[in-house]
């Protein structure tokens, strides 16, 4: 799917690029699979900001996605490919033989090994490319769901399968957990360029301001004569380490399932 670029008729259009949308087959989503999606602008139930740099953006409806793929033994046919404003990948509407409308194709332990089918890891050949992986049995796919991503099934050891995640992490997942064969669509999504700050505001992203441009009272990096960096100890506005500081709980139960931690960005092996 090619990326569409614009003529430089304005500074905002000069570097802007968007998806070509050639694979979209309908402009109207399935109404029975829509529900309202309220915006919270990064605030909790007390009105306090818990996630910074969120707010505004276009109003949008949530598309109900069947991540569980629990309709085993019933074949379906792809009816439409739709745009989903809530995620980077495209979604598919499937018409099943029993008349029910959902988004996947075919699932269950008896489903054939074919791209788009959801099968337990024990039935997927080693070396296969997979996505939409269950982390907890019966909970539905939680891992590897964004556009263009994929994981690889490396081995099967007893009750667990070894998966290489897109981040490079190697981890064990129970062999009865389900995964979808193939790679998530819209592969060129990572090559899109916003082109202007306003496009981020459309998506509900508010501006971030560097701490080095602030005053000392507003940020630990603020102040100083001229341009100075954070030095060897970058911090958040509240004084906590910002780079290389691990926040994962040391006593987390799933830590024993991680064989190799994910690779750090910008560092070669």
């Amino acid at each position: 799917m090619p990326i569409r670029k614009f003529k430089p008729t304005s500074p905002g259009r000069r570097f802007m690029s968007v998806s070509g949308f050639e694979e979209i087959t309908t402009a109207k989503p399935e109404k029975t699979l829509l529900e309202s999606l309220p915006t919270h602008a990064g605030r909790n139930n007390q009105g306090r900001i818990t996630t910074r740099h969120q707010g505004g953006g276009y109003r949008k409806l949530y598309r109900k996605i069947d991540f569980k793929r629990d309709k085993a033994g019933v074949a379906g046919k792809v009816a439409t490919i739709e745009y989903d404003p809530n995620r980077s990948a495209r979604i598919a509407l499937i018409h099943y033989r029993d008349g029910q409308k959902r988004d996947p194709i075919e699932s269950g332990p008896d489903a054939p090994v074919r791209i788009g089918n959801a099968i337990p890891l024990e039935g997927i050949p080693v070396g296969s490319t997979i996505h939409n992986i269950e982390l907890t049995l019966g909970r539905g796919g939680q891992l590897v769901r964004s556009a263009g991503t994929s994981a690889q099934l490396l081995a099967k050891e007893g009750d667990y399968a070894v998966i290489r995640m897109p981040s490079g992490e190697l981890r064990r997942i129970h062999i009865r957990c389900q995964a979808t064969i193939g790679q998530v669509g819209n592969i060129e999504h990572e090559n899109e360029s916003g082109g202007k700050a306003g496009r981020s505001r459309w998506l509900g992203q508010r501006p971030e301001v560097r701490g080095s441009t602030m005053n000392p009272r507003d940020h630990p990096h603020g102040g100083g004569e001229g341009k100075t960096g954070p030095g060897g100890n970058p911090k958040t506005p509240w004084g906590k380490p910002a780079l290389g500081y691990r926040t994962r709980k040391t006593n987390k139960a799933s830590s024993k399932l991680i064989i190799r931690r994910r690779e750090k960005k910008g560092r070669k092996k």
Side-chain angles (χ1 to χ4, degrees), residues 17-56:
S17 61
V18 297
S19 173
F21 299 104
E22 283 86 358
E23 76 284 5
I24 305 297
T25 60
T26 178
K28 296 182 179 180
E30 176 63 33
K31 290 185 178 180
T32 59
L33 298 176
L34 297 179
E35 64 181 18
S36 62
L37 183 68
T39 57
H40 302 287
R43 288 162 171 79
N44 61 8
N45 59 350
Q46 298 177 340
R48 297 176 181 272
I49 296 178
T50 55
T51 305
R52 297 182 296 157
H53 316 128
Q54 290 187 3

Side-chain angles (χ1 to χ4, degrees), residues 85-161:
N86 304 290
R87 64 191 74 254
S88 55
R90 308 294 181 231
I91 58 175
L93 176 68
I94 305 301
H95 288 182
Y96 282 95
R97 291 177 181 174
D98 59 358
Q100 190 172 357
K101 297 180 180 179
R102 290 197 190 179
D103 60 303
I105 299 176
E106 189 175 349
S107 59
D110 299 328
V113 180
R114 190 170 59 235
I115 292 178
N117 287 351
I119 308 173
L121 292 172
E122 60 184 352
I124 300 177
V126 174
S128 300
T129 299
I130 55 177
H131 66 277
N132 191 37
I133 307 168
E134 278 188 333
L135 193 59
T136 304
L137 188 63
R139 190 171 184 177
Q142 294 178 272
L143 306 176
V144 195
R145 302 193 319 197
S146 60
T149 57
S150 64
Q152 188 176 18
L153 176 60
L154 296 182
K156 300 175 186 178
E157 302 172 352
D159 293 335
Y160 291 91

Side-chain angles (χ1 to χ4, degrees), residues 54-72:
Q54 290 187 3
Y58 280 124
R59 295 185 64 183
K60 49 196 175 184
L61 295 173
Y62 180 73
R63 275 72 167 167
K64 298 178 184 178
I65 307 295
D66 182 17
F67 291 114
K68 289 188 176 181
R69 304 291 298 266
D70 56 355
K71 206 168 184 61

